[in-house]
Amino acid sequence: MKTATLIFSLIAVTVLSSCNQITDVNVMLESPETRTELFDAIASNHSYMTQFMDNMHGNDHAMQMMQGDQKMMGNMMQGGGMKMMMKDSMMMKNMMQSMMKDGKMMGNMMQMMHEKGIMSEDCMESCKKMMNE
């Protein structure tokens, strides 16, 4: 009976210890399917997306990539995105500080605003003159 108990105990410990999986995140992210599932899960969950955006704001590389994304900048100008940002003072401040550091992006933004009728010709010229100084 003691032998059976000992054998059963060894089998149980072996089975339970084999269930402990150590997952390497980089290995998981190598799979395009897993990456897509992860991105979709983050994008569809408000809390996860908020944490992800906070993380991106704290990462210089992520901020540079967002600033250089003309499609993203164009989308912010359409569909009330700019109105939403203007209501969030911290987001507006961060965006304006980032734009002021990047003259090319600022110029593109002013040009889009002028084309959409948001900024007059005089205002655009005045802003360009200030930026040149």
Side-chain angles (χ1 to χ4, degrees):
M1 186 67 169
K2 288 183 182 181
T3 306
T5 305
L6 180 63
I7 292 173
F8 179 73
S9 297
L10 288 173
I11 292 172
V13 168
T14 304
V15 168
L16 290 175
S17 67
S18 68
C19 292
N20 184 15
Q21 295 180 359
I22 299 173
T23 306
D24 182 10
V25 175
N26 292 323
V27 172
M28 284 178 51
L29 291 174
E30 286 178 9
S31 164
E33 294 84 17
T34 305
R35 245 192 340 264
T36 301
E37 285 182 39
L38 180 63
F39 295 158
D40 290 343
I42 291 171
S44 63
N45 182 300
H46 184 80
S47 177
Y48 294 163
M49 194 65 195
T50 301
Q51 290 175 9
F52 181 70
M53 289 172 61
D54 287 344
N55 190 302
M56 287 178 64
H57 284 286
N59 183 301
D60 289 336
H61 182 248
M63 291 302 292
Q64 288 173 355
M65 288 190 69
M66 283 192 293
Q67 290 170 359
D69 189 342
Q70 295 300 319
K71 182 179 176 186
M72 181 184 296
M73 298 306 290
N75 287 338
M76 285 192 297
M77 292 298 290
Q78 297 171 356
M82 192 60 113
K83 289 178 187 174
M84 180 195 73
M85 283 192 300
M86 289 180 151
K87 290 179 182 176
D88 185 343
S89 61
M90 192 63 174
M91 184 185 293
M92 190 67 177
K93 179 182 174 192
N94 288 339
M95 185 189 76
M96 294 303 289
Q97 286 175 341
S98 297
M99 285 172 50
M100 294 302 282
K101 293 176 186 174
D102 187 346
K104 182 180 177 191
M105 184 176 71
M106 190 69 177
N108 289 340
M109 182 69 84
M110 289 189 313
Q111 185 65 37
M112 281 193 294
M113 290 171 72
H114 175 65
E115 289 170 2
K116 303 260 184 201
I118 298 170
M119 181 182 277
S120 70
E121 182 75 29
D122 294 337
C123 183
M124 190 172 79
E125 293 302 322
S126 174
C127 289
K128 283 183 179 180
K129 183 179 176 183
M130 272 194 310
M131 285 174 56
N132 289 334
E133 291 173 1

